[in-house]
Amino acid sequence: MNNVAVLVIFAVVALVILVNLYNVLGRKVGFRVEDKALGAQKSGEIETAGRPERLLESRNPSLDALKTRDASFNELNFLDKARETYEQVVIAFHKGDLAAVKERLGERVYQSFADAITARPEPAKDTLSFVEPPKADIDAIDFKDETAQVRVRFLSEMAYETPPAAEGDKPHILYRRAAEYWTFQRAYKGAAGPWTLTRVEAAKA
């Protein structure tokens, strides 16, 4: 009888301990779907065509000011066009032919690129391609002389493929990563013109 009483007492004590442990640890354990949803909202990321894009918060005064001055501005469309320009300009610069992208470049940027191409000892022999679509983030927005300036941070990985030296050899591929700030500018008064690239700066990866 005494043994039964001891077992009952131990069972009650164990039950009390388990209940206390559940109250402390069991209320939120592991990954939950709602946690992911909340995390995505807090990070400010939006999934677009399979790629996460980080935008300035919608409450950012500069973004609100830009939308007030330019009612047609849409940050998602802008980033798509900025990424397209980035890819086309980088490939055109590598090939040494800026004719197809000249209208997207500001005068000083175009001249700087053209001078760099002229200074090359010989045309590039390798072919450049992007490993995947570059990541584009709106980094800053500024206003000057009735124009809007949007700085975009690009992160990209590029593949430089050199043809094989001899028949039967494999082509040599060199991979490089780049991090840059590109500033686009457009007048927000009068007829809306295209966004042009006015500045290129190195950025931290």
Side-chain angles (χ1 to χ4, degrees):
M1 191 67 179
N2 290 336
N3 291 338
V4 174
V6 171
L7 290 175
V8 170
I9 292 173
F10 275 115
V12 172
V13 172
L15 180 61
V16 172
I17 293 174
L18 289 174
V19 170
N20 289 334
L21 285 175
Y22 176 79
N23 289 335
V24 175
L25 303 176
R27 291 181 178 177
K28 186 177 181 181
V29 178
F31 174 83
R32 300 188 302 177
V33 175
E34 56 268 30
D35 293 341
K36 181 178 180 181
L38 290 174
Q41 292 174 2
K42 291 179 181 179
S43 68
E45 291 187 349
I46 298 176
E47 190 72 18
T48 306
R51 302 184 302 271
E53 305 289 358
R54 179 173 295 279
L55 309 174
L56 290 177
E57 295 294 336
S58 59
R59 296 181 181 179
N60 184 284
S62 296
L63 182 57
D64 290 340
L66 176 56
K67 290 183 176 182
T68 299
R69 290 171 169 83
D70 185 354
S72 65
F73 181 81
N74 178 282
E75 51 266 48
L76 294 178
N77 292 340
F78 171 81
L79 284 175
D80 283 341
K81 289 293 185 181
R83 185 185 298 103
E84 178 183 289
T85 297
Y86 177 81
E87 292 177 325
Q88 293 180 358
V89 170
V90 168
I91 292 175
F93 177 76
H94 182 74
K95 290 180 177 179
D97 185 2
L98 300 174
V101 297
K102 184 176 180 179
E103 63 179 13
R104 304 188 186 188
L105 306 178
E107 183 177 348
R108 288 197 299 178
V109 171
Y110 172 79
Q111 193 59 52
S112 177
F113 285 176
D115 291 344
I117 292 173
T118 302
R120 293 174 182 171
E122 60 181 10
K125 296 181 180 180
D126 52 1
T127 302
L128 182 151
S129 62
F130 287 90
V131 177
E132 60 183 12
K135 183 178 180 182
D137 307 320
I138 293 180
D139 179 72
I141 298 175
D142 197 9
F143 304 96
K144 183 179 180 181
D145 299 332
E146 298 185 351
T147 62
Q149 297 177 339
V150 181
R151 189 169 73 173
V152 179
R153 180 172 178 262
F154 289 103
L155 297 177
S156 62
E157 183 175 9
M158 292 163 280
Y160 296 78
E161 182 175 334
T162 303
E167 186 177 353
D169 292 346
K170 294 182 178 180
H172 176 70
I173 302 178
L174 176 65
Y175 295 93
R176 292 178 180 173
R177 293 181 178 179
E180 294 178 318
Y181 290 120
W182 284 30
T183 300
F184 297 90
Q185 178 175 299
R186 183 171 78 170
Y188 55 80
K189 283 194 174 182
W195 289 93
T196 56
L197 177 64
T198 58
R199 187 178 180 89
V200 175
E201 306 168 85
K204 292 183 179 181

